[in-house]
Amino acid sequence: MKKTIIGITGASGSIYGKRMVEVLLENQIFVVLIATENGKKVFSYELDLDFEFWSNGLKDKYENFSVEDIDNLFAGVASGSYDFDNVIIVPCSMGTLGKIANGISSNLLMRAADVALKERRDLILVPRETPLHQIHLENMLKISRCGGTIMPAMPGFYHKPQTKEDLVDFVVGKILDYIKIEHNLFNKWGK
Ligand SMILES: Cc1cc2nc3c(=O)[nH]c(=O)nc-3n(C[C@H](O)[C@H](O)[C@H](O)COP(=O)(O)O)c2cc1C
């Protein structure tokens, strides 16, 4: 079974993280969820859904799901010897992205991202910020040069989205394409 670490930070776009987790769980992928404190707050604010209520509901429903405390640097995912396939931070704040770009691993999510880079596993960051200043751009370039992937939350419109959910599914579907998980979240061009 594939094992994915999903990070949810305090950038706008919690809906992407929520959908990502739910689709992976439905696809029998093992998900380890790590949210920052601001990630939880923005999630609850933007979605009018308490983060703990949502994640506890998933724990009851899925065996392939666990939640780690952001401050628990003793957790398995803090180590390169822990077997996981990738780390996806969606949405990713510029704060967390900047710290990862500069090798700062002061919480479990940043450490898991650092482990992914050093072990040459997939690290996918999904920023949602605009406009971007030079430090943001340089940090993204640093991560890309180190083997990470920057996939901005930029929905396309060529699949003729009708609803907000269609826009979200486009972004989530692009991430699934990248990690090679089949899906029908949007109609692919040419199909
Ligand atoms: C409602 C709300 C929306 C925000 N949206 C963004 C955003 O889109 N991108 C971003 O980089 N930061 C955004 N922020 C700021 C981050 O939450 C803030 O920088 C925080 O320190 C990030 O910490 P974290 O990476 O530990 O979650 C937002 C904050 C709030 C309250």
Side-chain angles (χ1 to χ4, degrees):
M1 186 189 275
K2 269 185 175 273
K3 193 176 274 189
T4 292
I5 297 169
I6 298 289
I8 294 182
T9 70
S12 184
S14 323
I15 194 167
Y16 296 116
K18 176 177 181 286
R19 181 73 170 141
M20 188 81 223
V21 168
E22 291 172 353
V23 170
L24 289 172
L25 291 174
E26 283 162 17
N27 278 275
Q28 280 84 50
I29 310 293
F30 195 99
V31 174
V32 179
L33 177 63
I34 308 169
T36 64
E37 281 313 310
N38 229 41
K40 292 180 186 180
K41 285 184 194 162
V42 174
F43 182 104
S44 301
Y45 175 78
E46 287 192 337
L47 300 174
D48 290 322
L49 171 65
D50 182 69
F51 178 87
E52 310 293 344
F53 177 82
W54 169 69
S55 58
N56 284 336
L58 293 180
K59 273 192 219 160
D60 291 342
K61 190 169 172 193
Y62 293 99
E63 285 183 356
N64 50 322
F65 181 62
S66 71
V67 180
E68 292 290 356
D69 186 322
I70 191 81
D71 292 321
N72 181 15
L73 282 147
F74 281 77
V77 302
S79 168
S81 62
Y82 183 84
D83 192 19
F84 64 85
D85 297 288
N86 44 50
V87 176
I88 304 170
I89 306 186
V90 52
C92 186
S93 73
M94 284 301 142
T96 289
L97 188 147
K99 287 174 193 150
I100 294 167
N102 289 283
I104 298 167
S105 304
S106 52
N107 70 29
L108 185 62
L109 184 56
M110 293 174 215
R111 172 62 187 165
D114 201 59
V115 168
L117 289 177
K118 83 183 175 77
E119 301 293 335
R120 302 285 191 261
R121 298 178 202 162
D122 279 337
L123 171 66
I124 299 166
L125 304 185
V126 185
R128 203 270 10 130
E129 185 59 283
T130 192
L132 298 165
H133 59 59
Q134 195 172 332
I135 297 170
H136 295 149
L137 294 165
E138 283 176 355
N139 283 338
M140 289 191 216
L141 183 59
K142 266 190 178 180
I143 288 171
S144 177
R145 282 190 171 138
C146 201
T149 301
I150 308 293
M151 295 189 79
M154 289 180 179
F157 290 87
Y158 56 81
H159 65 306
K160 310 272 175 79
Q162 303 294 312
T163 63
K164 180 174 74 174
E165 285 70 28
D166 290 344
L167 294 169
V168 171
D169 277 359
F170 180 90
V171 171
V172 171
K174 291 292 281 185
I175 302 168
L176 292 174
D177 286 344
Y178 192 87
I179 59 172
K180 298 192 170 42
I181 292 175
E182 298 255 336
H183 67 86
N184 294 310
L185 296 186
F186 62 87
N187 290 327
K188 289 186 189 170
W189 187 251
K191 279 208 169 174

